[in-house]
Amino acid sequence: MGQLTSKRGGLDPGVVPNVHFSTNDEGPPRYSSHGNPSTIIISDVESSASEGGSKAELQRFSIYSTLDRVPQQGHYANTLPQKQLRSRPSLEALRRAFKEAEVGVEVPTTDSGVSLPDSGTEESKAPQEKAPVRFGWILGVLIRTMLNIWGVILFLRLTLITSQAGIVLTWVIILMSVAITTITALSVSAIATNGKVLSGGPYFLVSRSLGPEIGAPIGLIFSFANAQACALNAVGFGEVVVSLMQDSGFVIVDYLNGVRIVGVITVFVLLLISLAGMEWETKAQLVFFVALMSSFVNYLVGTVIPPSIEKQAQGIFGYNSKIFVANLAPNWSGPDGSFFQMFGLFFPAVSGILYGVNICGDLKDPNTAVPKGTLLAIFWTTISYLVISVTAASCVVQDASGNISDILTGNITGVCMGQGCQFGWNFTECIVSQSCQDGLANTQKVMGQLSGWYYLVIVGAFAATLSSALGYLVSAPKIFQCLCRDNIYPYIGVFAKGYGKNDEPLRAYILSFIIAVAFTLIGNLDTIAILNSSLFMCVYALINFSCFHATFTNSPGWRPQFIYYDKWVSLFGAVVSFVLMFLFSWWAGLITLIVFILLCLYIYYKKPKLNWGSSIQAGKYNMALSASLALSGVEDHIKNFRPQCLVLTGPPTQRPALVDFVNSFTKNASLMICGDIIMDQDRQTRPQVDTDRLVKWMNKRKVRSFYSPFTADSLRVGARHLLQASGLGKLKPNILVLGFKSNWRDSSPESIEDYITTINDTFDSNYCLCILRMMEGLDTSDQFEFEVNQGFEPDESIEKEDQQSSEKEPVPAHDMTDEGDSGEIETAFQDDQGKKTIDIYWIADDGGLTLLVPYLLSRRKRWSRCKVRVFIVGEELNMEESRKEMLALLKRFRLDFNEVTVMTDCERRPQAKNLDRFVDSVAPFRLYDEPQEGVSVSQNAPWKISDREFEAFKLKSEAKVRLNEIIRRNSKRAALVVVSLPVPHSDCTSALYMAWLDTLTFGLHCPVVLIRGNQEDVLTFYCQ
């Protein structure tokens, strides 16, 4: 590049400049000036880095500008809760940076609330706090997930399930369960690697993928399921302890209450370990893991040791093909002896796969640790389940008495039942009386009896139940804490507070403890296991569906680092999980589904202000895009005509009546676009956030409309461009809706000309036209400080009200809250109209739009009781015939308008006072051939009405005055008056046409709508 030289001094080639910014609490970073305000301070990187002996973070610039920065990670981390973030300069700053940098002007960034860090950071000055504990994939995910999967079912129920289902179906149950968890793990891995994962586990993944409507209910259900799973393992631990106590003859209370007492004490002890922090919890998990590995080795060694007489009495005979073959087939017994009952009982044994995701906030690298650790944990635990089930079923017979005297010492003289007969044992007596205490089908102690040392397996059982219970008790509060911090549901924010360097959710721990104790008091492990399976199946179904939906929507933001997944496999996993939720237990599945739906409906009703870029949003875009493209290929038909309105409201908050009127007949039925033409001179004064504020106002008012601001130098130019550019494909406006210019007499001639020319441009564009006039006016802009376009000026009535309340301070538009926005100016279109009338003066046939708009309005609840009356022009001689013809036409149109009035006196001359009022209204715009007293004459005024023109249109003017008299006479108590709009003539001046519109709508105390179609049919009585 050569050497950079300027009045600010020179720099050697190859040296990266470093610009220092000064920041304050009120604004964006700016150049600092030392002595000379026109100097940018540039220092050598090496010298600045050497100061203080610490490494300073370098600010690197692109070769284009000293403000234009090279790509850096900090620029893309503005959503993270960090104290200090870097921000790239805005486009505005880049375009004017050089000139303003010389004079020391502040340079805004894309995020004015974020400062660029100096070369020296605060961290080097302040003593660093001790970093929170973070774990790798082995200690953080693999070991913990394996411990979470190995739980109470492994030691207390696996052998019983094998005795019922047989080896084959037990393996089917195990492999089906593992298939579901593996698919879920693949889906979790894909979602977890699609960006940085914070704490919150499945709730965080699902909510950020499918949105709060689905994610928040799953967060609550999964937190609840984890607390319940803690109770499940605590009850299992209680069963082991109480059995040991009974074997030792130490019995205080009955079995059930003993399990409850031991379970509650266990949960309390685990709570204390959890409250001690993650470091203590990790140490406890390591101890449990060593104990479990020792018990597994002890069990496998025990299976190859020749059984003693005592073990043979318990039905243990070592590996034997006869026992293996006999236990291949199922042996259902008891009321719960069915495949899906056993499936539901076993499934909690594999449901701990999400532990790594649950504590992802405590992992060093969740994107790598979660997939690797979870999938390996599933693999090794699956091997252990398969091995234990087949080894136990190959060594132990179904029934045994445990009585050494049942050995056969001689020839069998009586009947011998059971598998023991083949090995010299007669367990017939206990089999017949169903009192066998040992054997694969009768005791949960098979693993201990089969092992080398019984009590080492008991230690393993303790480790499995306690480690799983501890894991679930740690997971539930962390998930719930993340949910609480999002402020989606009310009254739970108190549990969001964290304590200590690891941000431990102590309050959530207490809540999880209470839930776990409540389920522990049930005391029945099988009942808790079935309900727990349904809850986890619901969670797995939603996780798999999240992965499918994110892939199916094909959003550019879906870029997971983990690629070994398939959307259709995820969908299969979601469907299977949902079906199994009901097959395990219909009542548990139904309860889970009802709770989930209620939680979803609450969020759908409340609509929390959260934007996480979910796949639901991407899916809506895809659906809208596909539907719009498909609609483009559909030919127009009269039966499918919809009034699609472009409404020139300006800022919608300033003309609520105009917004409410159009919304009354387009809501949930057709397109509505609020067009806001912003004058060039007002562009800088309008707040940047104004668009969002106006959209929020419309949403709060339940207006279904788009908002489209457009900058132009006049109303006519802006309206013309909006007429041409608004809409997309067939979703394009066909009606322009204007507010009536009530203050036209006091407006500039240019403003009137713009208004009338806009009407002409509307018809030139083949649009229909509606003009709404309210007695009290439309414009409420004087309540606000910012200016609006001059096409619509404040009405006189509004000006008078504002003069009376001039002592009150105006409210800045950008300072208005949602409550202030909805300062909710009530309009006639928000009121129930009762049994008033809607009067339609169908003067000219425009294709039927004059009838269609009132009909659509009458279908709304607020207007449904109004009687619709149709007034037409006719002659007195054939008045009845004209009336019948119109009734027949309305009937064929199926509009249900049953009252028609024929106006036969339209050609009469209007009253003198009304005619004089019309003449007075146009007097300021007359160009008299002879000077008139008190009237100035300007020959160079094309908008003036000449005497020749006035006389040429005299009859038309009188007709308008006469029609107004008829309207005022017939529609005194009407809720709405609809009149056919006269088409402006090319040789009619704008002032005269404006006077016609004013005269037609004068003196009415209800809303008046002037409507003109584009002379094409919008109504038909044919079927095709």
Side-chain angles (χ1 to χ4, degrees):
M1 288 180 55
Q3 187 170 355
L4 174 66
T5 60
S6 70
K7 65 180 180 179
R8 291 176 291 276
L11 285 177
D12 295 333
V15 177
V16 181
N18 192 11
V19 179
H20 294 269
F21 294 91
S22 64
T23 60
N24 52 41
D25 295 333
E26 299 179 357
R30 57 189 178 191
Y31 288 97
S32 62
S33 58
H34 300 279
N36 188 355
S38 64
T39 302
I40 299 179
I41 307 301
I42 301 178
S43 62
D44 191 283
V45 173
E46 294 180 359
S47 61
S48 64
S50 61
E51 291 181 4
S54 62
K55 290 185 177 181
E57 184 177 2
L58 304 181
Q59 297 299 320
R60 296 177 295 165
F61 310 100
S62 75
I63 62 175
Y64 298 136
S65 168
T66 55
L67 277 182
D68 207 0
R69 301 192 177 279
V70 299
Q72 299 179 44
Q73 180 178 341
H75 295 165
Y76 298 90
N78 289 339
T79 58
L80 297 180
Q82 299 177 359
K83 294 182 179 179
Q84 202 172 35
L85 297 172
R86 288 170 290 182
S87 180
R88 65 178 70 86
S90 65
L91 280 175
E92 183 181 3
L94 291 174
R95 293 171 64 189
R96 59 187 175 89
F98 184 78
K99 183 182 295 184
E100 297 186 352
E102 291 184 338
V103 296
V105 178
E106 293 186 0
V107 180
T109 63
T110 53
D111 186 355
S112 59
V114 178
S115 60
L116 296 171
D118 249 340
S119 58
T121 62
E122 295 180 2
E123 293 179 0
S124 60
K125 300 175 184 178
Q128 292 189 355
E129 295 183 3
K130 188 176 180 181
V133 179
R134 294 288 183 261
F135 305 103
W137 73 272
I138 295 178
L139 189 59
V141 181
L142 177 62
I143 293 179
R144 292 169 182 269
T145 305
M146 291 173 69
L147 288 173
N148 224 31
I149 294 174
W150 286 325
V152 61
I153 303 299
L154 172 65
F155 286 93
L156 301 185
R157 292 296 184 271
L158 181 58
T159 55
L160 293 175
I161 293 172
T162 306
S163 71
Q164 291 258 11
I167 297 175
V168 175
L169 289 185
T170 299
W171 276 40
V172 170
I173 289 173
I174 294 173
L175 294 177
M176 285 182 61
S177 302
V178 170
I180 295 172
T181 56
T182 302
I183 293 172
T184 305
L186 295 175
S187 300
V188 163
S189 300
I191 301 173
T193 57
N194 188 51
K196 186 174 179 61
V197 181
L198 303 178
S199 61
Y203 160 68
F204 185 88
L205 298 180
V206 176
S207 62
R208 271 57 175 179
S209 179
L210 288 180
E213 295 85 358
I214 305 298
I218 284 301
L220 273 179
I221 291 175
F222 192 64
S223 300
F224 188 80
N226 274 268
Q228 187 196 52
C230 174
L232 174 71
N233 285 277
V235 169
F237 178 80
E239 287 189 0
V240 177
V241 172
V242 172
S243 296
L244 284 176
M245 294 172 63
Q246 289 180 342
D247 292 344
S248 304
F250 185 74
V251 178
I252 301 177
V253 293
D254 61 280
Y255 181 83
L256 180 60
N257 286 319
V259 170
R260 291 170 175 168
I261 294 172
V262 174
V264 171
I265 296 174
T266 302
V267 174
F268 180 74
V269 173
L270 294 177
L271 173 66
L272 297 180
I273 297 175
S274 301
L275 295 178
M278 289 296 292
E279 294 182 17
W280 283 94
E281 187 263 348
T282 302
K283 295 175 181 178
Q285 295 285 29
L286 287 175
V287 173
F288 293 149
F289 185 76
V290 172
L292 265 172
M293 292 297 101
S294 301
S295 66
F296 285 155
V297 172
N298 175 52
Y299 167 78
L300 293 175
V301 170
T303 59
V304 297
I305 298 176
S308 62
I309 295 297
E310 290 78 9
K311 286 191 174 184
Q312 291 182 14
Q314 296 171 345
I316 300 172
F317 298 99
Y319 290 107
N320 193 286
S321 59
K322 295 180 181 179
I323 299 177
F324 174 78
V325 172
N327 288 331
L328 281 175
N331 182 29
W332 308 117
S333 62
D336 296 332
S338 67
F339 178 80
F340 287 108
Q341 282 289 332
M342 295 298 105
F343 200 162
L345 181 59
F346 174 78
F347 192 79
V350 295
S351 61
I353 63 166
L354 298 178
Y355 189 84
V357 183
N358 295 343
I359 63 165
C360 53
D362 298 308
L363 300 176
K364 294 177 181 178
D365 184 11
N367 288 349
T368 302
V370 171
K372 186 186 297 185
T374 303
L375 292 174
L376 281 175
I378 291 175
F379 174 78
W380 289 117
T381 53
T382 302
I383 295 298
S384 67
Y385 285 134
L386 295 174
V387 169
I388 290 174
S389 61
V390 73
T391 52
S394 299
C395 298
V396 186
V397 297
Q398 287 282 340
D399 299 297
S401 64
N403 190 350
I404 300 178
S405 62
D406 287 338
I407 190 172
L408 294 174
T409 56
N411 294 329
I412 302 176
T413 56
V415 179
C416 184
M417 298 176 60
Q419 302 172 9
C421 301
Q422 304 176 31
F423 305 101
W425 290 83
N426 186 2
F427 303 127
T428 304
E429 182 178 350
C430 75
I431 292 175
V432 172
S433 62
Q434 296 184 355
S435 60
C436 295
Q437 299 295 319
D438 292 304
L440 201 63
N442 302 301
T443 180
Q444 60 190 22
K445 304 175 184 178
V446 169
M447 285 189 65
Q449 295 172 346
L450 191 57
S451 63
W453 185 38
Y454 177 82
Y455 292 101
L456 188 54
V457 170
I458 295 299
V459 171
F462 286 172
T465 53
L466 293 178
S467 64
S468 295
L470 180 58
Y472 286 120
L473 188 60
V474 169
S475 300
K478 291 184 177 292
I479 299 168
F480 191 63
Q481 181 188 38
C482 184
L483 172 63
C484 295
R485 285 180 172 172
D486 287 332
N487 293 320
I488 298 177
Y489 292 111
Y491 313 119
I492 61 175
V494 66
F495 299 103
K497 184 175 178 58
Y499 297 86
K501 62 185 179 183
N502 276 15
D503 196 29
E504 296 291 346
L506 301 186
R507 297 176 180 177
Y509 274 126
I510 301 300
L511 179 62
S512 299
F513 167 76
I514 294 173
I515 296 173
V517 167
F519 277 93
T520 302
L521 293 177
I522 295 176
N524 190 319
L525 189 144
D526 295 348
T527 302
I528 302 174
I530 293 294
L531 180 57
N532 191 253
S533 296
S534 295
L535 294 175
F536 274 103
M537 278 298 181
C538 181
V539 176
Y540 292 168
L542 267 296
I543 290 176
N544 286 306
F545 183 77
S546 299
C547 182
F548 163 76
H549 195 270
T551 310
F552 185 77
T553 54
N554 200 26
S555 172
W558 176 250
R559 302 184 301 275
Q561 296 178 2
F562 184 84
I563 61 174
Y564 303 104
Y565 69 96
D566 183 81
K567 62 182 176 183
W568 301 113
V569 173
S570 296
L571 179 62
F572 173 77
V575 173
V576 171
S577 299
F578 183 79
V579 172
L580 288 177
M581 181 175 71
F582 289 94
L583 292 179
F584 289 164
S585 173
W586 68 267
W587 60 267
L590 185 61
I591 292 174
T592 304
L593 184 62
I594 291 174
V595 171
F596 175 78
I597 291 175
L598 292 177
L599 293 173
C600 287
L601 290 177
Y602 174 84
I603 299 177
Y604 182 80
Y605 175 76
K606 285 295 182 180
K607 292 181 173 57
K609 297 178 181 179
L610 297 171
N611 183 12
W612 292 326
S614 65
S615 62
I616 293 293
Q617 294 172 329
K620 289 179 179 178
Y621 175 86
N622 284 351
M623 292 173 62
L625 181 61
S626 300
S628 299
L629 291 173
L631 190 62
S632 299
V634 178
E635 295 184 8
D636 293 330
H637 195 282
I638 300 173
K639 291 196 300 182
N640 292 327
F641 175 85
R642 295 172 184 263
Q644 303 186 132
C645 299
L646 170 61
V647 193
L648 296 188
T649 59
T653 53
Q654 298 177 14
R655 294 178 181 86
L658 192 60
V659 174
D660 291 339
F661 163 65
V662 180
N663 186 61
S664 295
F665 64 86
T666 61
K667 184 176 182 181
N668 297 325
S670 56
L671 176 68
M672 176 182 174
I673 301 175
C674 291
D676 182 5
I677 301 172
I678 305 171
M679 298 304 181
D680 286 332
Q681 63 268 24
D682 300 327
R683 183 179 180 183
Q684 300 299 326
T685 61
R686 292 286 292 271
Q688 295 295 324
V689 297
D690 205 44
T691 297
D692 292 338
R693 183 186 65 83
L694 294 174
V695 171
K696 289 179 181 178
W697 179 87
M698 290 193 295
N699 290 337
K700 188 165 186 177
R701 206 174 179 91
K702 297 182 179 179
V703 174
R704 302 295 295 272
S705 172
F706 296 99
Y707 171 69
S708 179
F710 191 87
T711 303
D713 56 4
S714 69
L715 169 68
R716 179 187 179 184
V717 173
R720 183 190 301 165
H721 285 95
L722 282 174
L723 286 169
Q724 296 177 13
S726 295
L728 181 67
K730 291 297 178 68
L731 292 175
K732 184 176 179 63
N734 50 31
I735 301 176
L736 180 70
V737 183
L738 294 170
F740 182 75
K741 193 173 180 63
S742 299
N743 63 335
W744 66 278
R745 296 185 188 87
D746 303 322
S747 300
S748 63
E750 293 82 0
S751 178
I752 299 176
E753 185 70 20
D754 268 358
Y755 187 85
I756 302 304
T757 308
T758 298
I759 294 177
N760 285 309
D761 290 342
T762 302
F763 293 130
D764 290 341
S765 302
N766 202 31
Y767 271 60
C768 307
L769 180 66
C770 288
I771 299 177
L772 173 66
R773 182 172 189 178
M774 303 287 291
M775 177 187 66
E776 67 277 9
L778 291 170
D779 202 326
T780 62
S781 61
D782 287 350
Q783 299 178 18
F784 314 119
E785 287 184 343
F786 58 80
E787 296 291 334
V788 295
N789 63 64
Q790 299 300 314
F792 299 110
E793 296 180 4
D795 295 320
E796 294 178 6
S797 60
I798 300 298
E799 289 177 349
K800 292 178 182 178
E801 291 176 6
D802 289 338
Q803 290 174 1
Q804 295 173 1
S805 60
S806 58
E807 297 179 359
K808 299 181 181 179
E809 283 190 25
V811 181
H814 58 278
D815 288 341
M816 293 173 63
T817 61
D818 290 342
E819 290 76 9
D821 276 354
S822 58
E824 296 265 329
I825 301 173
E826 295 289 337
T827 66
F829 301 98
Q830 292 182 313
D831 299 331
D832 191 330
Q833 301 301 320
K835 295 184 178 181
K836 297 179 182 179
T837 62
I838 299 176
D839 293 346
I840 304 172
Y841 291 85
W842 198 13
I843 308 302
D845 189 352
D846 58 351
L849 185 66
T850 308
L851 295 176
L852 181 61
V853 171
Y855 167 73
L856 295 176
L857 199 64
S858 67
R859 296 199 305 179
R860 301 296 178 178
K861 183 178 180 181
R862 291 168 178 161
W863 298 81
S864 60
R865 292 190 294 164
C866 291
K867 179 192 295 185
V868 181
R869 303 188 299 179
V870 180
F871 295 83
I872 59 173
V873 177
E875 298 177 356
E876 190 171 356
L877 293 176
N878 55 1
M879 180 179 65
E880 189 62 27
E881 183 180 349
S882 298
R883 179 177 174 276
K884 290 180 179 179
E885 287 180 357
M886 180 54 62
L887 283 172
L889 180 62
L890 295 175
K891 185 176 182 180
R892 298 189 72 178
F893 282 149
R894 306 174 306 282
L895 294 177
D896 196 25
F897 298 166
N898 301 316
E899 186 169 335
V900 175
T901 302
V902 181
M903 299 180 295
T904 60
D905 54 351
C906 293
E907 296 182 358
R908 293 182 184 177
R909 184 175 176 81
Q911 296 180 14
K913 64 176 183 178
N914 295 326
L915 192 57
D916 291 343
R917 186 181 64 246
F918 170 78
V919 173
D920 292 341
S921 68
V922 298
F925 301 94
R926 295 282 300 275
L927 184 62
Y928 297 97
D929 294 337
E930 296 180 2
Q932 301 290 317
E933 184 179 353
V935 179
S936 61
V937 179
S938 175
Q939 297 296 333
N940 189 20
W943 54 83
K944 292 288 187 177
I945 307 171
S946 65
D947 287 348
R948 181 180 177 183
E949 181 184 0
F950 187 78
E951 288 298 324
F953 289 104
K954 183 176 180 180
L955 292 178
K956 293 184 180 295
S957 300
E958 290 180 356
K960 308 298 188 299
V961 177
R962 178 57 185 161
L963 182 57
N964 175 255
E965 292 176 351
I966 297 173
I967 294 173
R968 284 192 292 157
R969 183 186 65 204
N970 294 325
S971 303
K972 292 180 180 180
R973 296 178 177 83
L976 178 69
V977 173
V978 180
V979 185
S980 295
L981 175 77
V983 177
H985 298 275
S986 58
D987 55 349
C988 178
T989 61
S990 57
L992 181 57
Y993 183 73
M994 197 72 227
W996 287 353
L997 300 185
D998 186 31
T999 299
L1000 273 176
T1001 57
F1002 175 79
L1004 295 170
H1005 297 276
C1006 65
V1008 184
V1009 184
L1010 298 171
I1011 297 181
R1012 189 73 188 203
N1014 60 359
Q1015 303 305 108
E1016 296 179 3
D1017 291 346
V1018 299
L1019 293 174
T1020 181
F1021 43 75
Y1022 293 109
C1023 293
Q1024 71 276 12

